[in-house]
Amino acid sequence: METVVSGIRSTGNLHLGNYFGMIRQAVRMQAEYNCYFFVADLHSLTTHPKPLDFQQNVKQVLVEFLACGIDPDKCTLYVQSDIPEISELYLIMNMLAYKGELERVVTFKDKARKQPDNINAGLLTYPVLMAVDIIIQHADKVPVGKDQEQHLEMTRNYVKRFNSMYGVNYFHEPLAFNYEKNLIKIPGLDGSGKMGKSEGGKNAVYLMDKPEQIRNKIMRAVTDSGPEKPNSTKTDAIQNLFALLNIVSKPDTVQFFENQYNHCNIRYGDLKKQLAEDIIKFTTPFREKMEALSDDDLYIQNIRKQGAEKARITARKTLEDVREIIGIKAK
Ligand code: TYM
């Protein structure tokens, strides 16, 4: 059976982008693959969270994973920092990662632009840690959104480099995965590229948002002054709203607004109202489960412990193999 690995950084609540880019795939993959899903808490350290927030954020992602249908009986669900082997392999793989290629990574350049006072080495070597998450479990497939594509490409490079440097065929090359063939990017509400946690609260719809918050955010989403000619090309902002409608609404609802748009009689207010209600319908069951799970610390702790034990078995074996391959440990 093929192995699957994927994680989410514990930097805040999960939004529709996380759901459709990763979680929805992950929930389906649990039944078909040997799956490892985890909270990438070490990755969140690049922004120096406060210790109390750190713990709370880890718990929140675990709660959200579970509420969305990640099932610890069907997969291994764990927290990255509970697997110390990851940190050691990260150190080792850092020796195979070159500054020039790391500096060219799009996510690094973006982050460096957004946080010029905090361009730390962990931010630069973020793709190395991510590669380690993947290869320590020998993943074949990695369900992720479009924004992670380059990181997967780098993971494959590190695999090839390791194998060729040590003359082995030990790690294999993982692929980014989506059931729809192409990786997806859920757009944000501000008319620009992508829905994201770091793009600001108004750009993203969180699974945890209450109905009123969702209505407010959607009603404030960027639009334009409307089409002037029949069948005109949509601006990015409108294209984004239709993209969201496409993922949460029924096909005939989408078609209805498409027709109105093409006949130049669309009222964006109506489209937004419909979109908000359809998102609410979609996220409410998740929110309710999250609220119910939030108080059950013991249950969450147990799951975390069990997951760590399972994930460490494979991680330990990989690290031992690597120590032998590179000569730290005598054969
Ligand atoms: P993170 O925490 O930023 O996002 C988690 C997952 O959600 C996807 N995603 C999106 N997909 C579509 N449209 C969007 N607007 C959108 N926003 C986020 C991301 O592609 C991702 O799949 N580096 C990773 C975490 C990570 C990881 C790993 C993932 C660490 N190690 C190993 C896979 C394997 C990250 O920052 O994701």
Side-chain angles (χ1 to χ4, degrees), residues 268-324:
Y268 290 140
D270 292 347
L271 182 152
K272 286 175 166 184
K273 272 189 203 139
Q274 180 72 46
L275 176 59
E277 293 317 309
D278 288 343
I279 292 178
I280 291 166
K281 212 184 294 162
F282 183 78
T283 56
T284 295
F286 298 135
R287 194 185 69 252
E288 287 172 354
K289 279 192 206 136
M290 285 169 206
E291 285 165 357
L293 277 166
S294 285
D295 295 329
D296 209 342
D297 280 345
L298 195 63
Y299 173 67
I300 305 289
Q301 281 306 327
N302 278 338
I303 288 187
R304 176 172 178 171
K305 204 163 145 253
Q306 273 170 30
E309 277 165 17
K310 266 168 81 186
R312 278 194 83 180
I313 296 172
T314 20
R316 217 178 274 135
K317 166 85 173 75
T318 307
L319 187 61
E320 270 171 27
D321 291 347
V322 168
R323 283 168 145 256
E324 256 187 47

Side-chain angles (χ1 to χ4, degrees), residues 88-89 92 162 318-330:
E88 186 174 335
L89 188 57
I92 292 170
F162 180 92
T318 307
L319 187 61
E320 270 171 27
D321 291 347
V322 168
R323 283 168 145 256
E324 256 187 47
I325 291 169
I326 67 181
I328 296 179
K329 198 175 111 197

Side-chain angles (χ1 to χ4, degrees), residues 19-150:
Y19 184 82
F20 287 101
M22 184 261 174
I23 297 180
R24 188 168 62 165
Q25 319 301 319
V27 169
R28 197 171 148 192
M29 292 177 104
Q30 301 176 116
E32 300 167 28
Y33 298 93
N34 173 29
C35 291
Y36 293 85
F37 300 125
F38 67 95
V39 182
D41 60 341
L42 296 175
H43 275 109
S44 82
L45 285 173
T46 57
T47 51
H48 310 148
K50 296 200 178 71
L52 279 179
D53 291 345
F54 186 90
Q55 282 309 320
Q56 183 48 37
N57 288 343
V58 170
K59 180 187 153 194
Q60 187 59 29
V61 178
L62 281 173
V63 163
E64 301 207 16
F65 265 141
L66 292 165
C68 290
I70 297 291
D71 180 348
D73 289 332
K74 296 190 189 146
C75 71
T76 307
L77 176 62
Y78 58 100
V79 176
Q80 188 184 33
S81 63
D82 288 342
I83 320 297
E85 291 77 11
I86 291 177
S87 298
E88 186 174 335
L89 188 57
Y90 166 59
L91 182 149
I92 292 170
M93 294 306 287
N94 265 323
M95 312 304 171
L96 272 66
Y98 295 103
K99 176 171 162 277
E101 67 190 0
L102 289 167
E103 280 172 342
R104 284 194 297 274
V105 175
V106 175
T107 47
F108 171 73
K109 288 198 282 191
D110 270 4
K111 291 263 158 64
R113 198 164 26 80
K114 283 185 194 149
Q115 51 185 72
D117 299 329
N118 181 24
I119 310 177
N120 58 63
L123 196 62
L124 183 69
T125 57
Y126 184 108
V128 185
L129 181 55
M130 177 158 164
V132 168
D133 293 326
I134 297 169
I135 63 175
I136 204 160
Q137 305 293 359
H138 301 283
D140 302 286
K141 292 194 167 82
V142 184
V144 282
K146 181 97 183 131
D147 58 314
Q148 300 297 316
E149 201 166 32
Q150 194 181 18

